[in-house]
């Protein structure tokens, strides 16, 4: 469970988040949507303990978030950087050495599912396969919270689809909460439990997606058009 | 991928309709085991939570039955199977008739039109 209470985050004088309150519960796949610069990545970094709030507090399973929260949070950055001298296999071993909850068997299972060659080097992989590798590394951890920052960005439809299928197959919704930022709404329309919309550092909507369809007969895209006006 | 479902109606209901159609068409037989929640989720690209809700809803109306530790099975109850056939038939006919009436066709137009269409279709197939 993640809670943000009256969270403000300033970068010098600019407010990236402005008095945000948010409660996310376990067992759900949640999408965080909004334009570039709206505060999506900042929200994820605050939950991952990579940034500290200027005001307010962030808690994961009741625990106040510090850098040490990395023990319970798996964070996939939107950046695309690897140690170039490692193979895929070595990269996985390195992650296993860094996180005690890293599940090697699961990593190889996801690797196989994603049809990646363990002997290849990430720098020689296509962009799509590097995207797949990032998913392997984030989902192989047995942690209660998984944060994925723009996992679909710049990837072709085949790769996006394999990532969606990877999420369906390997997330344990009994125990895990997954928060995804994305612009690719169509990709996630059928897999999100909830959607949170953010604009200029404020949360402007938070909804159960099936309720939107049931009560208002609208999907996520229609809803976004409605609230972003 | 998401095109299998449209976004304005709850996916758990659309998935339930899909399973009912599979039962009516015989693609799923009475007593047959449904794929696991995750398998179904993967096949149709839907969140396992949603699939699990579909199975629960179908269970509530006795269309499927979950046996502890074994999985979820299509009912063998003749009465239930008959009523799904009726229900889906009426649903499709209602939509068809509504659209025809909205455009101003009379009941006679609809009936004769449908009769002609079916007999022509019968000739072509014969």
């Amino acid at each position: 469970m993640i809670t943000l209470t009256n969270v403000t985050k300033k970068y010098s004088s600019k407010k990236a988040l402005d008095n945000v309150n948010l409660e996310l519960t376990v067992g759900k796949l949640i999408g965080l949507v909004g334009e570039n610069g709206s505060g999506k990545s900042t929200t994820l970094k605050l939950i991952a303990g990579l940034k500290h709030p200027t005001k307010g507090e962030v808690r994961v399973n009741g625990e106040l978030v510090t850098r040490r929260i990395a023990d319970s949070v798996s964070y996939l950055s939107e950046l695309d950087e690897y140690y170039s001298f490692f193979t895929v296999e070595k990269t996985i071993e390195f992650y296993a050495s860094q996180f005690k909850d890293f599940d090697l068997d699961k990593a190889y299972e996801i690797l196989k599912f994603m049809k990646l060659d363990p002997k290849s080097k990430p720098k020689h992989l296509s962009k799509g396969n590097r995207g797949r590798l990032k998913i392997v590394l984030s989902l192989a951890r047995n942690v209660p919270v998984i944060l994925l920052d723009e996992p679909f960005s710049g990837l072709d439809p085949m790769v996006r689809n394999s990532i969606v299928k990877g999420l369906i197959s390997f997330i344990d919704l009994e125990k895990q909460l997954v928060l995804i930022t994305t612009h690719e709404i169509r990709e996630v329309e059928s897999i999100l439990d909830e959607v949170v919309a953010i604009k200029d550092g404020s949360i402007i909507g938070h909804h159960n997606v099936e309720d939107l369809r049931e009560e208002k007969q609208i999907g996520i895209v229609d809803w976004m058009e409605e609230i972003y006006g | 991928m998401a095109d299998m479902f449209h976004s304005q109606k709850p996916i758990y209901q659309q998935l339930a309709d899909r399973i009912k159609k599979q039962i009516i068409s015989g693609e799923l037989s009475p007593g047959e085991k449904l794929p696991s929640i995750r398998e179904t989720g993967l096949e149709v690209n839907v969140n396992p939570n949603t699939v699990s809700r579909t199975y629960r809803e179908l269970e509530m109306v006795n269309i499927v039955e979950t046996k502890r530790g074994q999985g979820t099975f299509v009912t063998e109850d003749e009465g239930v199977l008959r009523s799904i056939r009726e229900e889906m038939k009426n649903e499709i006919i209602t939509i068809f008739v509504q659209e025809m009436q909205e455009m101003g066709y009379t009941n006679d137009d609809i009936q004769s039109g449908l009769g002609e269409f079916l007999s022509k279709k019968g000739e072509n197939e014969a």
Side-chain angles (χ1 to χ4, degrees), chain A residues 27-178:
Chain A
K28 295 198 173 104
L29 242 152
I30 303 154
L32 181 59
V33 300
E35 291 164 6
N36 290 324
S38 55
K40 300 193 301 286
S41 293
T42 299
T43 305
L44 256 54
K45 284 176 184 160
L46 286 168
I47 299 166
L50 299 168
K51 301 261 186 229
H52 294 282
T54 313
K55 267 190 224 156
E57 58 177 42
V58 182
R59 287 180 185 269
V60 170
N61 287 332
E63 187 188 341
L64 202 58
V65 168
T66 63
R67 191 62 192 90
R68 290 169 50 92
I69 204 70
D71 286 347
S72 19
V73 175
S74 171
Y75 170 75
L76 176 148
S77 148
E78 59 186 325
L79 300 174
D80 192 17
E81 285 169 350
Y82 290 98
Y83 295 107
S84 55
F85 46 89
F86 276 177
T87 57
V88 166
E89 206 166 26
K90 287 280 178 211
T91 306
I92 288 177
E93 280 170 23
F94 174 72
Y95 267 68
S97 72
Q98 297 303 300
F99 300 106
K100 56 177 184 284
D101 53 62
F102 195 91
D103 185 337
L104 265 179
D105 292 339
K106 192 172 180 184
Y108 279 101
E109 203 186 327
I110 310 173
L111 197 71
K112 204 173 151 196
F113 182 88
M114 295 291 187
K115 299 188 175 68
L116 288 175
D117 173 11
K119 303 289 180 202
S120 57
K121 286 189 170 181
K123 67 170 171 181
H124 296 143
L125 291 178
S126 63
K127 188 172 182 194
N129 278 338
R130 283 202 303 276
R132 289 186 172 108
L133 175 60
K134 282 166 74 174
I135 292 294
V136 173
L137 298 170
S138 346
L139 299 191
R141 291 186 57 198
N142 290 319
V143 281
V145 174
I146 296 176
L147 307 173
L148 308 173
D149 201 359
E150 298 288 350
F152 305 107
S153 177
L155 303 177
D156 65 52
M158 289 271 291
V159 180
R160 298 204 296 262
N161 191 34
S162 70
I163 292 177
V164 165
K165 292 209 182 285
L167 290 172
I168 294 171
S169 304
F170 297 106
I171 286 171
D172 182 354
L173 285 170
E174 303 268 307
K175 298 180 195 140
Q176 294 181 313
L177 180 169
V178 183

Side-chain angles (χ1 to χ4, degrees), chain A residues 198-214:
Chain A
I198 186 166
K199 186 185 183 187
D200 301 329
S202 297
I203 306 280
I204 58 168
H206 181 182
H207 242 285
N208 176 300
V209 180
E210 288 279 81
D211 287 350
L212 277 180
R213 299 188 189 109
E214 187 137 36

